[in-house]
Amino acid sequence: MTMNDSVNILNSAYLAVEYIDSFLPDNPLQQPFKNAWNYMLDNYTKFQIATWGSLIVHEVSYFLLCVPGFVFQFIPYMRKYKIQQDKPETWEKQWKCFKTLLFNHFFIQLPLICGTYYFTEYFNIPYEWEEMPRWYVLVAQCFGCAVIEDAWHYFLHRLLHHKRIYKYIHKVHHEFVSPFGMQAEYAHPLETLILGAGFFIGIVVFCNHVVLLWAWVICRLMETIDVHSGYDVPLNPLHLVPFYAGARFHDFHHMNFIGNYASTFTWWDRIFGTDSQFIAYQEKEKKKQFITKK
């Protein structure tokens, strides 16, 4: 396929989505969001928006997204959806995780966030409401960022499992054999930098407005907290995403310390066969359930 053919296909897809969007009802939240965005631009500097705004978006999103999984441990009905039912959460582990998170967020991630303003200035990334991309463009950009981050995560995560370096860096993240949502960013500072670098590659490629920074932060946190939640809840809307890995996929990695290295999608593990043990495990579990029902 030539470059012109690819461009024509993308243009056709864009026009088709625009046509469909024209029939959708107006979003009732758009005007309040526009007012809030313009108020922010009128009252804060770009540096404050890029730095402290990004920090607030990260912290609020992270801990709000952790709330459902945290609450599940107190609801007896939800216990049947816990993947490793013999390993319940403990206050001791959750408190230890929380303290490490605060250190990583404010002493590792905050210095990186401080570079956001200079990134937007260097690449002339706009902040204005009028230049904000449409919702479907933003969704496509976030998906593109996820594809790029997933590739980076697969190969670097797999490297961190190499026997010569595993105990020095990645072992910290595997202290919890049965993961829970808040543990998603519980890691050695070097791992935060190494695997976190994949988050920024998509931004460099796709970013055409500061809102993408925040949208991608929320999408990435939603995914990583979900796969670390320890619960496989039915009707999870993230399962509608093509090739989405999910909690069972990543929970198996924490149980066995091997395989299922990708962060979001299943294709890299499928291509390199690093999901073979997981597939065998699933087949075994299906047989057990079939025998139990009989």
Side-chain angles (χ1 to χ4, degrees), residues 5-283:
D5 290 337
S6 299
V7 171
N8 289 335
I9 290 172
L10 290 174
N11 287 337
S12 299
Y14 181 80
L15 291 172
V17 174
E18 267 201 332
Y19 179 74
I20 294 170
D21 183 56
S22 66
F23 289 98
L24 296 177
D26 292 337
N27 184 352
L29 298 177
Q30 182 171 344
Q31 190 60 43
F33 181 55
K34 179 181 179 180
N35 294 339
W37 190 271
N38 286 328
Y39 176 86
M40 177 183 70
L41 293 177
D42 292 338
N43 290 275
Y44 299 96
T45 66
K46 286 185 177 181
F47 178 81
Q48 290 172 325
I49 293 169
T51 305
W52 304 116
S54 297
L55 177 67
I56 291 169
V57 167
H58 180 272
E59 295 305 300
V60 172
S61 299
Y62 191 91
F63 290 106
L64 277 180
L65 289 167
C66 286
V67 168
F70 179 79
V71 172
F72 286 167
Q73 64 185 309
F74 305 110
I75 304 175
Y77 177 79
M78 297 304 297
R79 289 174 190 162
K80 64 181 178 180
Y81 299 121
K82 183 167 173 58
I83 300 167
Q84 298 186 55
Q85 297 192 6
D86 59 330
K87 296 182 179 66
E89 297 91 342
T90 66
W91 285 109
E92 181 184 3
K93 289 180 179 179
Q94 290 174 104
W95 177 240
K96 180 182 180 181
C97 177
F98 181 72
K99 289 187 293 183
T100 301
L101 277 179
L102 290 183
F103 176 83
N104 283 350
H105 284 185
F106 289 96
F107 291 95
I108 306 298
Q109 295 182 11
L110 179 56
L112 296 175
I113 290 172
C114 287
T116 302
Y117 167 74
Y118 301 100
F119 167 80
T120 60
E121 286 295 293
Y122 183 80
F123 288 101
N124 295 316
I125 305 299
Y127 289 62
E128 291 72 22
W129 173 266
E130 291 73 22
E131 299 195 47
M132 189 179 294
R134 300 294 297 274
W135 66 268
Y136 46 84
V137 175
L138 205 57
V139 169
Q141 289 173 325
C142 286
F143 185 78
C145 287
V147 171
I148 292 172
E149 190 282 332
D150 185 66
W152 176 273
H153 192 100
Y154 176 85
F155 293 104
L156 272 295
H157 182 196
R158 189 172 177 180
L159 178 63
L160 289 175
H161 271 270
H162 192 282
K163 60 183 179 181
R164 291 187 178 179
I165 59 176
Y166 171 78
K167 64 181 179 180
Y168 299 110
I169 302 175
H170 193 52
K171 186 177 180 180
V172 173
H173 183 68
H174 277 283
E175 284 182 27
F176 303 105
V177 177
S178 178
F180 48 91
M182 192 168 58
Q183 188 245 337
E185 291 186 345
Y186 180 89
H188 189 285
L190 275 177
E191 177 173 340
T192 301
L193 293 173
I194 293 168
L195 296 185
F199 171 88
F200 297 99
I201 299 173
I203 293 297
V204 173
V205 174
F206 294 109
C207 196
N208 58 352
H209 195 280
V210 71
V211 75
L212 176 63
L213 291 165
W214 296 352
W216 171 223
V217 164
I218 294 169
C219 288
R220 178 70 179 111
L221 290 180
M222 192 183 304
E223 176 276 325
T224 192
I225 290 169
D226 177 60
V227 302
H228 285 93
S229 68
Y231 290 83
D232 186 19
V233 181
L235 304 179
N236 183 340
L238 287 176
H239 291 163
L240 298 175
V241 177
F243 303 101
Y244 181 67
R248 284 195 179 275
F249 188 85
H250 193 70
D251 211 278
F252 180 84
H253 175 78
H254 276 265
M255 277 193 286
N256 298 278
F257 308 100
I258 192 170
N260 295 10
Y261 297 111
S263 59
T264 307
F265 305 108
T266 57
W267 52 58
W268 288 112
D269 285 285
R270 182 60 55 88
I271 290 170
F272 290 99
T274 46
D275 64 346
S276 58
Q277 293 189 31
F278 174 65
I279 293 172
Y281 171 78
Q282 283 186 310
E283 291 299 322

